């Protein structure tokens, strides 16, 4: 994964010689990770943002997780490569002379290609202009995560407000023209060409249509929709006007669904790959070293409700300075170590996502009491499988009841093997230290819980390869219940969006959907009292993707 020549020579030598012996002597170059490995009961601090940063990194540029948690906390510089197409619906055929919005998918720009003639029956204005634009040199962009193009007063715009105005500005929730002009002016000296945000799909706010892009085609299309705004945006707080004829209402449903469909193509990993992010320059408001002032505001607060409005002035300044530094080509902070953070993180999700899901399933589906012990052995085997490459030969359980310290080498190896070489790199820049800490913290907790569960099973004599000489007489039913609590707590702590899906899976005429702005605005009035429809805490459901449509 990591090219061996990037490691210090002495470390590479250790690695190579380690391959030729079967001994499991702990790595000489142990990562400098806080804390002892003896106490498997030591839970992470509730203030720990490692799982938040971990899930953030694994969700960048993916539509699904950023629809689920709308309030972005992270900005990442990146580039859009040459040849990438962008789309723009408008009233005439010329390129805009001011900063303007473009879509990455025509499904998202077409609804902006309105034909006012449709509504008033003006036959001389039947169509609308739809522009296709190509990138002609790598565009330097800054990406705001979350549903950052969503005009709401509940936190989606916080990170932009802070960079732009130094404070959260609820009064500016609809000031999109001021926002794009302001951001483009702010980033001009830093060479930022565009800002990437997300709503129903990803959008690129392009600062200059006469630099770095060219017009490929201006097409006069048959419009479907009478407004230059997409469907329910006539008035964000009111139902669509009754004056809209029935056939246009039906078109509105189609256009809405197809816009969501465009976004859904980027739902899961690797997300929208047309934007290439440089994770070594990631700046997050979840970074507690950079932004300590928000720690107390997150206690007792669910992630849906995390806001940036109570940040201290010093912390805003620190974040702004960091963003400027990573965007500036002159600063030393802008050259990372070369570690592929996206892949490094992804490997952890790949290795644990379906295994933890299987584990949870086994613990939630218990057989009749006569088969309980066998079931517990099956679970124990799954735990051992997860840890197999970290269990040294010759390791023996402690004779002392209640003593779990013997499992410390397994926990340590499980938690640190993946990042140990990265700790040896001297060239990490501050953003990469944040990424490394979050990765370490996440693995430490996964391994703490899994090793703790496995260790308990060993002591109860449930492990096939460790038949205990004197198994503690523990009721397998009791162990299964404790395991279930542990697994549930870990899955809740991790809260990975890969586990959020429609169950049972949707039918062939359906798609899995999370309540997406602005569609839920049509029912804001009744939503508060409707447990089936929680737009504030989006839950997945299947919706039809062909007529008859359902309300989005
Ligand atoms: C119809 O559309 C044409 C072309 O855009 C415009 O010049 C004209 O004013 C419109 N007429 C009405 C009644 O809206
Ligand atoms: C968590 O943060 C709060 C507020 O800053 C602090 O009072 C508390 O001591 C912290 N808890 C731990 C376990 O560090
Ligand atoms: C956080 O900010 C909000 C909005 O400005 C304010 O109403 C609230 O009192 C603040 N909370 C604290 C603890 O400062």
């Amino acid at each position: 994964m990591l090219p061996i020549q990037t490691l210090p020579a002495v470390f590479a030598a250790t690695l190579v010689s380690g391959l030729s012996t079967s001994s499991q002597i702990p790595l000489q170059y142990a990562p400098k990770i806080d804390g002892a490995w003896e106490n498997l009961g030591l839970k992470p601090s509730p203030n720990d943002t490692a799982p938040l940063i971990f899930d953030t990194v694994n969700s960048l540029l993916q539509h699904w997780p950023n629809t689920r948690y709308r309030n972005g906390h992270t900005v990442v510089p990146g580039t859009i490569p040459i040849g990438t197409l962008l789309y723009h619906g408008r009233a005439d055929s010329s390129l805009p002379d001011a900063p303007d919005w473009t879509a990455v998918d025509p499904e998202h720009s077409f609804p902006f290609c309105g034909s006012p003639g449709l509504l008033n029956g003006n036959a001389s204005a039947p169509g609308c202009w739809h522009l296709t634009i190509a990138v002609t040199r790598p565009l330097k962009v800054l990406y705001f995560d979350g549903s950052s193009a969503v005009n709401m007063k509940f936190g989606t715009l916080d990170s932009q407000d802070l960079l732009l105005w130094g404070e959260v500005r609820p009064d500016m929730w609809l000031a999109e023209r001021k926002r794009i002009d302001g951001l483009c002016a702010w980033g001009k000296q830093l060479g930022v060409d565009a800002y990437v945000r997300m709503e129903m799909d990803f959008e690129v706010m392009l600062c200059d249509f006469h630099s770095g892009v060219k017009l490929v085609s201006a097409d006069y299309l048959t419009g479907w929709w009478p407004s230059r705004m997409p469907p329910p945006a006539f008035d964000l707080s009111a139902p669509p006007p009754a004056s809209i004829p029935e056939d246009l209402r039906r078109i509105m449903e189609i256009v809405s669904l197809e816009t969501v469909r465009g976004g859904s193509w980027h739902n899961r990993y690797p997300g929208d790959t047309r934007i290439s992010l440089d994770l070594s320059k990631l700046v997050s408001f979840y970074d507690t070293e950079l932004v300590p002032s928000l720690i107390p505001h997150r206690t007792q607060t669910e992630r849906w409700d995390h806001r940036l409005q109570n940040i201290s002035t010093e912390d805003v300044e620190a974040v702004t300075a960091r963003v400027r530094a990573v965007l500036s080509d002159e600063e030393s902070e802008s050259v990372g170590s070369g570690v592929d953070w996206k892949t490094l993180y992804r490997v952890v999700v790949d290795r644990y996502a379906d295994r933890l899901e299987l584990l949870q399933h086994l613990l939630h589906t218990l057989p009749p009491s006569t088969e309980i012990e066998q079931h517990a052995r099956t679970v124990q085997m799954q735990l051992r499988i997860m840890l197999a490459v970290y269990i040294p030969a010759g390791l023996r359980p402690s004779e002392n009841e209640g003593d779990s310290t013997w499992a410390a080498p397994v926990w340590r190896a499980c938690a640190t093997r993946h990042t140990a070489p990265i700790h040896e790199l001297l060239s990490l820049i501050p953003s990469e230290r944040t990424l490394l800490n979050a990765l370490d913290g996440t693995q430490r907790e996964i391994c703490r819980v899994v090793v703790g569960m496995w260790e308990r099973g060993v002591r109860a004599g449930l492990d096939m390869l460790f038949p205990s000489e004197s198994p503690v007489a523990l009721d397998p039913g009791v162990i299964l219940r404790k395991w279930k609590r542990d697994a549930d707590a870990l899955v809740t702590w991790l809260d990975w969006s890969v586990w959020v899906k429609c169950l049972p899976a949707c039918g062939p005429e359906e798609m899995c959907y999370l309540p997406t702005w602005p569609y839920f605005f049509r029912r804001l009035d009744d939503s508060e009292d409707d447990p089936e429809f929680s737009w504030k805490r989006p839950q997945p459901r299947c919706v039809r993707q062909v007529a008859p449509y359902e309300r989005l």
Side-chain angles (χ1 to χ4, degrees):
M1 183 186 327
L2 185 83
I4 212 157
Q5 61 271 23
T6 66
L7 302 177
V10 60
F11 182 79
T14 314
L15 253 189
V16 173
S17 69
L19 295 176
S20 60
T21 80
S22 59
S23 70
Q24 286 283 336
I25 300 158
L27 267 183
Q28 210 173 333
Y29 294 85
K32 299 164 211 75
I33 300 173
D34 311 333
W37 300 95
E38 274 71 40
N39 184 359
L40 280 165
L42 200 64
K43 292 184 184 169
S45 158
N47 297 337
D48 187 359
T49 53
L52 298 168
I53 294 174
F54 186 87
D55 188 59
T56 294
V57 170
N58 276 309
S59 302
L60 296 171
L61 290 172
Q62 294 166 46
H63 200 264
W64 187 260
N66 287 292
T67 304
R68 181 166 175 245
Y69 288 124
R70 300 190 186 101
N71 295 351
H73 277 56
T74 299
V75 295
V76 195
T79 50
I80 302 182
I82 186 167
T84 308
L85 297 184
L86 301 169
Y87 304 91
H88 181 67
R90 59 186 284 110
D92 60 53
S93 62
S94 51
L95 286 174
D97 287 321
D100 214 320
W101 292 264
T102 65
V104 293
D105 294 307
E107 283 70 17
H108 188 196
S109 50
F110 183 56
F112 288 86
C113 175
S115 304
L118 281 179
L119 197 58
N120 57 21
N122 184 347
S124 62
C128 63
W129 289 99
H130 189 251
L131 273 43
T132 302
I133 296 154
V135 173
T136 56
R137 63 164 165 80
L139 294 182
K140 184 171 179 177
V141 302
L142 185 64
Y143 165 60
F144 293 96
D145 83 334
S147 293
S148 49
V150 157
N151 297 104
M152 292 204 305
K153 298 179 207 171
F154 308 108
T156 52
L157 300 166
D158 285 0
S159 59
Q160 289 160 68
D161 286 3
L162 291 180
L163 277 196
L164 184 51
W165 293 305
E167 57 178 343
V168 169
R169 292 286 299 270
D171 56 316
M172 298 295 235
W173 73 294
L174 279 174
E176 283 291 78
R177 173 46 63 187
K178 282 207 174 85
R179 192 176 297 278
I180 193 171
D181 288 346
L183 283 172
C184 285
W186 180 87
K188 199 172 166 66
Q189 291 159 293
L190 297 161
V192 180
D193 293 303
Y195 296 86
V196 177
R197 305 193 304 179
M198 193 197 92
E199 47 178 13
M200 300 82 88
D201 197 350
F202 288 93
E203 69 174 26
V204 175
M205 298 157 84
L206 208 50
C207 293
D208 187 351
F209 281 72
H210 303 285
S211 170
V213 296
K214 72 169 183 193
L215 184 65
V216 173
S217 181
D219 302 308
Y220 193 58
L221 302 177
T222 308
W224 284 26
W225 181 250
S227 160
R228 274 216 59 232
M229 291 290 268
F234 278 109
D235 174 353
L236 290 176
S237 56
S243 60
I244 299 180
E246 187 54 34
D247 54 345
L248 282 180
R249 275 174 184 272
R250 232 169 275 135
I251 283 173
M252 174 171 121
E253 292 174 337
I254 298 172
V255 171
S256 301
L257 193 280
E258 293 305 320
T259 311
V260 169
R261 187 200 300 279
S264 78
W265 295 330
H266 322 299
N267 265 350
R268 303 287 188 176
Y269 182 85
D272 196 323
T273 52
R274 282 167 289 196
I275 298 117
S276 168
L277 298 180
D278 184 349
L279 264 63
S280 69
K281 300 178 180 181
L282 171 147
V283 181
S284 179
F285 289 91
Y286 281 135
D287 181 344
T288 49
E289 276 179 39
L290 188 65
V291 188
S293 62
L294 285 174
I295 297 172
H297 296 284
R298 280 190 297 261
T299 52
Q300 310 296 323
T301 309
E302 290 183 72
R303 185 169 170 193
W304 327 91
D305 302 321
H306 288 177
R307 295 288 312 263
L308 307 180
Q309 60 196 356
N310 297 106
I311 193 172
S312 70
T313 314
E314 302 80 67
D315 290 0
V316 177
E317 281 163 11
V319 168
T320 310
R322 176 76 69 83
V323 174
R324 283 185 187 279
V326 295
L327 281 172
S328 156
D329 294 327
E330 282 94 61
E331 301 265 350
S332 57
E333 280 178 32
S334 68
V335 183
S337 64
V339 169
D340 180 353
W341 292 100
K342 184 176 176 176
T343 302
L344 198 66
Y345 266 64
R346 188 67 205 177
V347 168
V348 176
V349 176
D350 284 346
R351 290 200 65 216
Y352 291 107
D354 58 354
R355 282 185 168 157
L356 289 177
E357 204 171 22
L358 174 62
L359 190 64
Q360 232 192 350
H361 163 81
L362 291 172
L363 294 169
H364 280 255
T365 13
L366 295 187
S369 56
T370 49
E371 292 156 37
I372 278 284
E373 183 172 338
Q374 187 47 48
H375 191 70
R377 289 181 187 282
T378 302
V379 174
Q380 177 72 12
M381 185 49 82
Q382 287 304 311
L383 293 166
R384 176 178 267 279
I385 289 167
M386 289 168 81
L387 300 171
V389 295
Y390 308 118
I391 302 173
L395 184 73
R396 284 284 164 268
S398 165
E399 308 259 300
N400 305 329
E401 198 182 326
D403 174 13
S404 63
T405 54
W406 65 274
V410 185
W411 181 17
R412 183 197 174 95
C414 171
T416 62
R417 194 57 46 84
H418 191 61
T419 52
I422 313 290
H423 281 265
E424 294 304 312
L425 299 176
L426 301 174
S427 54
L428 297 186
I429 57 177
S431 295
E432 294 185 287
R433 298 244 161 244
T434 305
L435 291 171
L436 184 57
N437 286 340
L439 189 52
D440 280 336
T442 302
Q443 293 195 95
R444 184 182 170 91
E445 179 61 0
I446 294 172
C447 297
R448 183 187 74 81
V449 175
V450 174
V451 172
M453 292 169 75
W454 172 75
E455 192 273 338
R456 183 175 294 268
V458 167
R459 276 193 287 125
L462 294 170
D463 197 282
M464 198 174 82
L465 296 174
F466 268 161
S468 172
E469 290 89 43
S470 50
V472 186
L474 283 176
D475 175 357
V478 173
I479 294 192
L480 282 165
R481 277 197 293 282
K482 167 82 172 100
W483 275 345
K484 178 165 166 284
R485 281 197 300 276
D486 289 348
D488 288 352
L490 176 60
V491 165
T492 303
W493 187 83
L494 292 170
D495 193 20
W496 290 347
S497 56
V498 291
W499 291 318
V500 178
K501 50 191 165 188
C502 288
L503 287 173
C506 303
E509 292 183 12
E510 296 174 322
M511 71 191 291
C512 189
Y513 171 76
L514 279 176
T516 301
W517 179 93
Y519 308 114
F520 55 75
F521 267 92
R522 277 186 270 161
R523 43 187 305 172
L524 265 190
D525 304 340
D526 50 329
S527 61
E528 296 289 356
D529 302 312
D530 183 355
E532 298 289 302
F533 189 87
S534 175
W535 64 270
K536 278 190 176 168
R537 286 156 170 65
Q539 298 301 322
R541 63 187 163 98
C542 299
V543 296
R544 287 184 56 75
Q545 45 174 331
V546 288
Y549 292 95
E550 289 153 74
R551 212 166 177 186
L552 290 180

